[in-house]
Amino acid sequence: MFEGKNDENNHYKSEKDSLAKEKNLDLDARDTSSSDLFEETVEETVDSSEYSNNLRGWFQRFIHFVEISGTKGYSIQQLFLMNYDLRPVEAARRKWKWYHFIFFWLSESFNVNTWQIAATGVQAGLSWWVTWITVWIGYTFCALFVCASARVGNAYHISFPVSCRSSFGIWGSLWPVINRVVMACVWFGVHTSIGGNCVELMLRSIFSNDMEKRIPNHINGNITSFKLLCFFLYWFFQLPFIYFPPHKIRHLFTVKAVISPIAGITFLVWTLVKADGGGPFIRAPSTVSGSAFGWAFVNSTMNAISNFATLIVNAPDFSRFANAPDAAIYSQMISLPISFAITCLIGVLVSSAANSIYGVSYWNPLDVLSRFLDHYSRGSRGGVFLLSFSFAIAQLGTNISANSLSAGTDMTAIMPKFINIRRGGFVCAAIGFAICPWNLMTSSSMFTTYLSAYSVFLSSIAGVVFCDYYILRKGYLVLTDLYIANESSPYYYWKGFNLRAYTAYIAGVLPNIVGFVGATKTHHVPIGATYVYYFSFFAGYASAACVLIIITYIYPITGTPEARLFQCKFFEEWQDVEDFEEVYKKRIAMDSNERELFIKRLPSIDASEKA
């Protein structure tokens, strides 16, 4: 009996020992697998860390590669305030003489949009000569506004993104700048679309009048394959000209100033000969009278100004390159209205003669040239090609001056560490292509009306800047303080924003907002609001300026000269900025207690001598 129990116990022990061995083996296996897993985890962590370091190193190398040269040594805050394109223009880059501004406006006036300005008055019932008077009046006002805006750039050699810091604040100036960037990019695409139409006429003149049918269309939308090809060719053709800096691109305007008048006069003579006279517009009297005549006159006059709002605001971008104190003033005052008035007159006469030939009023000169190709002879093909080429050059000059350079200059204020004027121009071109402007130019689209009506907002910006520079500061600016973003700068206001200027800006927009909605034809508005909107630029300009005067009188600002608000004194002086880099670095390094003493040592901004 005991032996049986012993056998059972031995059997139980053997089973227990075998289970223990299996358990130990499992534990050993688990330890081994855990060790292997730990080693793999460590290796993966090391690999991940190396990958992260490599990625970080690659990113840093990329950042250094795309940085603008000359930005090292400045803090992050300072880099948002200044680079080579934002600093005052030194004498070596101030190459624009008085006659370059004449060439600029002579070339700027010859484009498709200017040809169509007179259409507003004639279609409203005014005779051609009354419409031409409104053109003279409108562009004379444009010249006054441009010269008023250009003076700060001419005297202090700074661009609009820098000059508007004195009025809107160091950081507050970014809002007007962003406004202009968006509009410039959109207008670049629109003008490129018009230039694509010029290329279309050139290709039809060379190859065949039915190119659009001969090239298979594989695109569904508001553009065909042939038109997209023309758009791309013209867009690509503009890129080399964006590469040139502003002080060298003046040669493009000189060439355009020679080509454009010859092409315009040739076009006029050719059309008059084909029509055997001036056509019906020349002999037609005004078909409206009384108040209708008066409001048509006002609307035609204001139409010239509203289409000029962008060029009025960005005038300092070009005047800063003037080589003499008055180089950018009197030359523009005289040449601007004369150039645009002559171009508008040619547009009226060509449209009138074309109406006599085809029985349809064509206000777009490209439509007239397209009809000339109906008679597909060698002479017609050659003439249309040369004139289309001239219009393509004209659109190029307008796109560079009014859009790509403006957008590039403004983008330097948004990301000065990475963007200069050249890069900003290329970014503008890319955006202008990406927005597919052919969809905006369709006959059913109101987008062009929105673009023209946007002068409501630009006029308010211009009014604030005018009031701050001419009335409040009387032409007195401390250049170095425009690049300082702390309380020691009088242009820092409240955390970099001048709330007075923003209040005035909104006040300038409000009188026109109802009429703006009516112009977009989304809602019916009272006729009184429409009449106010006819004066949109003046209303926004004057309202913003008056409100800023009142608010500043109640809440005074610092950094103004010792003179009464409406005292007839002006402290503007031609600035010597050759040593601006050294002066700026000293201004950054000095203690705030030494600032007033430092300003008195600067002869170019000595307020006591000016008084």
Side-chain angles (χ1 to χ4, degrees):
M1 182 173 67
F2 292 105
E3 291 179 0
K5 288 182 179 180
N6 289 333
D7 293 337
E8 290 179 0
N9 290 335
N10 292 333
H11 177 72
Y12 173 76
K13 288 180 180 180
S14 64
E15 287 184 353
K16 188 175 180 181
D17 292 341
S18 64
L19 288 173
K21 289 180 181 180
E22 291 179 359
K23 187 175 181 180
N24 289 333
L25 290 174
D26 289 341
L27 290 174
D28 292 340
R30 287 180 184 179
D31 291 341
T32 304
S33 62
S34 297
S35 177
D36 294 340
L37 180 62
F38 176 76
E39 291 178 359
E40 291 177 1
T41 303
V42 170
E43 290 178 359
E44 289 178 359
T45 302
V46 171
D47 292 340
S48 177
S49 178
E50 291 179 357
Y51 175 77
S52 178
N53 290 334
N54 291 335
L55 183 63
R56 190 181 297 109
W58 178 88
F59 181 74
Q60 290 176 349
R61 288 193 297 271
F62 174 77
I63 291 297
H64 289 312
F65 176 75
V66 298
E67 278 182 356
I68 301 297
S69 60
T71 60
K72 293 182 179 179
Y74 294 101
S75 68
I76 297 297
Q77 193 178 61
Q78 293 161 7
L79 289 173
F80 275 96
L81 297 172
M82 188 180 78
N83 66 5
Y84 177 75
D85 292 311
L86 284 178
R87 59 156 290 165
V89 179
E90 68 281 1
R93 288 190 291 161
R94 296 200 296 268
K95 298 294 186 180
W96 284 54
K97 299 180 180 178
W98 62 270
Y99 54 82
H100 288 119
F101 289 96
I102 295 178
F103 292 154
F104 174 80
W105 289 117
L106 186 61
S107 63
E108 183 70 23
S109 66
F110 189 86
N111 62 71
V112 174
N113 289 341
T114 306
W115 279 60
Q116 301 178 82
I117 287 294
T120 301
V122 174
Q123 291 175 347
L126 301 178
S127 64
W128 75 270
W129 63 269
V130 173
T131 301
W132 200 41
I133 291 175
T134 67
V135 168
W136 273 100
I137 297 174
Y139 282 110
T140 299
F141 278 119
C142 289
L144 294 173
F145 284 123
V146 166
C147 292
S149 181
R151 284 198 61 157
V152 63
N154 192 49
Y156 289 93
H157 322 301
I158 53 178
S159 60
F160 172 78
V162 177
S163 65
C164 72
R165 290 173 182 173
S166 69
S167 51
F168 283 90
I170 298 296
W171 302 123
S173 63
L174 291 177
W175 172 246
V177 167
I178 292 172
N179 267 261
R180 283 207 325 163
V181 167
V182 173
M183 291 305 299
C185 292
V186 174
W187 272 115
F188 186 94
V190 171
H191 281 287
T192 303
S193 181
I194 297 173
N197 295 336
C198 299
V199 175
E200 178 185 348
L201 287 172
M202 294 164 64
L203 295 179
R204 286 169 55 191
S205 301
I206 297 173
F207 299 106
S208 173
N209 200 21
D210 60 346
M211 285 289 291
E212 195 161 355
K213 295 180 180 178
R214 296 178 62 181
I215 295 180
N217 181 33
H218 301 289
I219 300 176
N220 295 322
N222 295 316
I223 194 171
T224 63
S225 298
F226 174 60
K227 289 183 179 293
L228 181 59
L229 171 65
C230 296
F231 177 88
F232 174 78
L233 289 175
Y234 188 76
W235 177 84
F236 188 77
F237 171 73
Q238 296 176 106
L239 298 183
F241 295 91
I242 296 176
Y243 183 84
F244 291 100
H247 61 282
K248 292 183 179 180
I249 200 64
R250 68 188 188 279
H251 300 304
L252 170 64
F253 304 127
T254 303
V255 172
K256 182 183 170 183
V258 175
I259 295 175
S260 297
I262 296 175
I265 294 173
T266 303
F267 193 7
L268 174 62
V269 172
W270 189 14
T271 311
L272 292 177
V273 170
K274 288 175 71 71
D276 195 22
F281 295 169
I282 305 302
R283 297 179 294 273
S286 297
T287 57
V288 292
S289 60
S291 62
F293 176 89
W295 286 113
F297 190 95
V298 169
N299 189 31
S300 181
T301 303
M302 295 299 107
N303 189 43
I305 302 176
S306 63
N307 281 277
F308 226 79
T310 302
L311 288 170
I312 290 172
V313 172
N314 71 7
D317 295 344
F318 294 96
S319 64
R320 64 179 175 145
F321 294 102
N323 71 331
D326 295 325
I329 306 301
Y330 299 111
S331 57
Q332 297 191 92
M333 183 77 70
I334 297 172
S335 62
L336 193 156
I338 293 176
S339 301
F340 280 85
I342 293 176
T343 303
C344 286
L345 177 61
I346 295 175
V348 169
L349 296 177
V350 169
S351 299
S352 178
N355 182 275
S356 178
I357 300 171
Y358 303 110
V360 181
S361 298
Y362 292 110
W363 288 102
N364 188 333
L366 302 182
D367 292 338
V368 179
L369 291 176
S370 181
R371 291 302 303 268
F372 282 2
L373 288 178
D374 291 347
H375 180 61
Y376 203 68
S377 62
R378 289 184 178 180
S380 297
R381 293 166 61 190
V384 169
F385 175 85
L386 292 175
L387 291 176
S388 300
F389 177 78
S390 300
F391 275 108
I393 296 296
Q395 291 302 124
L396 169 65
T398 300
N399 227 4
I400 296 296
S401 63
N403 299 317
S404 72
L405 281 180
S406 298
T409 303
D410 292 342
M411 288 182 191
T412 60
I414 299 175
M415 295 186 66
K417 187 177 180 65
F418 304 105
I419 296 181
N420 55 16
I421 292 180
R422 180 180 296 159
R423 293 182 183 181
F426 286 120
V427 172
C428 175
I431 296 174
F433 195 120
I435 62 174
C436 302
W438 51 85
N439 291 326
L440 310 178
M441 299 294 290
T442 58
S443 58
S444 60
S445 175
M446 287 294 298
F447 195 79
T448 53
T449 303
Y450 281 95
L451 290 180
S452 298
Y454 200 79
S455 64
V456 167
F457 302 95
L458 294 181
S459 66
S460 188
I461 292 174
V464 169
V465 173
F466 172 86
C467 177
D468 177 79
Y469 184 71
Y470 284 92
I471 301 176
L472 303 180
R473 302 192 183 278
K474 303 186 186 303
Y476 175 76
L477 296 176
V478 180
L479 273 179
T480 52
D481 284 353
L482 290 171
Y483 299 88
I484 301 296
N486 57 48
E487 298 292 345
S488 67
S489 171
Y491 314 119
Y492 192 68
Y493 300 104
W494 179 79
K495 299 185 183 300
F497 293 85
N498 185 4
L499 301 182
R500 307 168 188 81
Y502 273 92
T503 303
Y505 166 74
I506 295 172
V509 172
L510 289 179
N512 296 311
I513 198 67
V514 178
F516 171 79
V517 173
T520 60
K521 296 182 180 180
T522 56
H523 296 81
H524 293 288
V525 299
I527 189 64
T530 302
Y531 289 157
V532 172
Y533 182 72
Y534 285 165
F535 293 96
S536 59
F537 195 89
F538 285 100
Y541 199 92
S543 299
C546 292
V547 171
L548 184 59
I549 290 174
I550 295 172
I551 297 177
T552 306
Y553 183 78
I554 299 173
Y555 302 101
I557 59 177
T558 60
T560 58
E562 295 182 0
R564 293 187 300 274
L565 186 62
F566 295 104
Q567 188 175 1
C568 294
K569 283 188 176 182
F570 205 59
F571 299 90
E572 177 187 272
E573 282 190 358
W574 177 267
Q575 299 292 302
D576 181 6
V577 296
E578 298 308 301
D579 58 346
F580 178 79
E581 195 83 13
E582 298 178 5
V583 174
Y584 179 55
K585 289 181 178 180
K586 289 179 181 178
R587 171 65 182 84
I588 295 173
M590 74 178 177
D591 184 76
S592 60
N593 294 329
E594 302 174 353
R595 180 174 175 274
E596 293 298 328
L597 180 62
F598 178 76
I599 291 177
K600 292 178 181 179
R601 292 174 181 171
L602 291 178
S604 60
I605 53 175
D606 191 342
S608 62
E609 291 182 6
K610 294 175 186 178

